[in-house]
Each structure stands twice: as C-alpha cells, then as structure tokens.
Amino acid sequence: MYELTVQRGFSAAHHLRDYQGPCSRMHGHNYRVEITVAGPQPLQNGMLLDFGELKEICDSVLDTMDHQCLNDLEPFRTINATAENLAAHIYHAIAAKLPFPGIKMARVRMWESDTSSVTYWED
C-alpha cells in the first residue's frame, strides 16, 4: 500500500454556537491542512497520483472556504465549524473528487494553530 500526502492552507473566520468561551465570538484562523490518499499500487507511470493533480483537487475544495465566514457556508449553517467538522467535511469533499477508483482518502489532518490539530479518517 502507498500513501501520498500534500499540505495546503486557507484562512477563514468562524464562531462556535452553543459554546461558552472566547470562540463563541467571531475570530479567524490560518488553517494548515494535510491531506493523505492511499492506494495499493502506482499507475503504469510509477505514480499513485501526480502531486500536482492532488494539490489541484484539494485547492478546488479549500478555495470555497478561503477568506470566508465558515458559518455562512454549507454545511456550517447548521453544524458548528469546529476543526473536527471541518476535517470531516474536507475529507468527504476531496474523496468525491478523486479521479481513480483504486485511490481512496486515508486521512485529513488540520491545524487551527501551530500547536493544535485534529485528524479525521474512516476505517
């Protein structure tokens, strides 16, 4: 099995609903996102997936959130824009765009700050 990982980033604002604390007020983050895909064998050209192609797929998802208020976007109008929910959303959005059936999402890890991250994956 092979894994391929890229890091991307975006900046966005949000606030948490039903939460007592400073994050209930509007604030922003410079998110760093690590996206890992996996597959059993490389293509005939020796690559699991071209790094550039994976970066384009990731950017097409992250660009929709960049410099936005996340609370104004689906699905975060109804669920909290927590790091956990963001990581799951990014995971599923990228998974839907993967070009080859043998390549699947392995995990998404995202940092809200230099010292705080969350990882989402499915078994």
Side-chain angles (χ1 to χ4, degrees):
M1 189 66 102
Y2 294 88
E3 289 187 338
L4 189 142
T5 301
V6 297
Q7 286 191 7
R8 312 308 285 158
F10 69 99
S11 299
H14 74 136
H15 63 88
L16 300 180
R17 296 179 292 272
D18 301 317
Y19 176 79
Q20 299 299 314
C23 292
S24 65
R25 296 185 298 273
M26 185 69 67
H27 63 285
H29 297 282
N30 292 316
Y31 294 98
R32 183 167 44 113
V33 186
E34 182 179 276
I35 300 100
T36 302
V37 299
Q41 63 186 25
L43 300 171
Q44 189 174 7
N45 66 6
M47 289 189 252
L48 182 64
L49 179 64
D50 183 274
F51 282 113
E53 190 171 1
L54 181 56
K55 288 175 184 177
E56 286 179 19
I57 292 167
C58 295
D59 290 347
S60 73
V61 170
L62 300 179
D63 285 351
T64 65
M65 297 184 282
D66 189 40
H67 286 82
Q68 300 291 325
C69 175
L70 297 173
N71 298 79
D72 295 339
L73 305 176
E74 288 299 335
F76 306 111
R77 290 180 182 143
T78 55
I79 65 171
N80 256 338
T82 61
E84 293 86 349
N85 287 335
L86 281 164
H89 172 75
I90 291 166
Y91 177 102
H92 292 292
I94 292 172
K97 293 179 176 246
L98 289 175
F100 306 112
I103 299 172
K104 62 178 185 166
M105 288 296 297
R107 66 190 152 275
V108 167
R109 183 174 183 189
M110 64 178 298
W111 286 261
E112 269 195 355
S113 71
D114 289 339
T115 60
S116 302
S117 72
V118 64
T119 303
Y120 178 84
W121 74 95
E122 295 183 351
D123 292 328

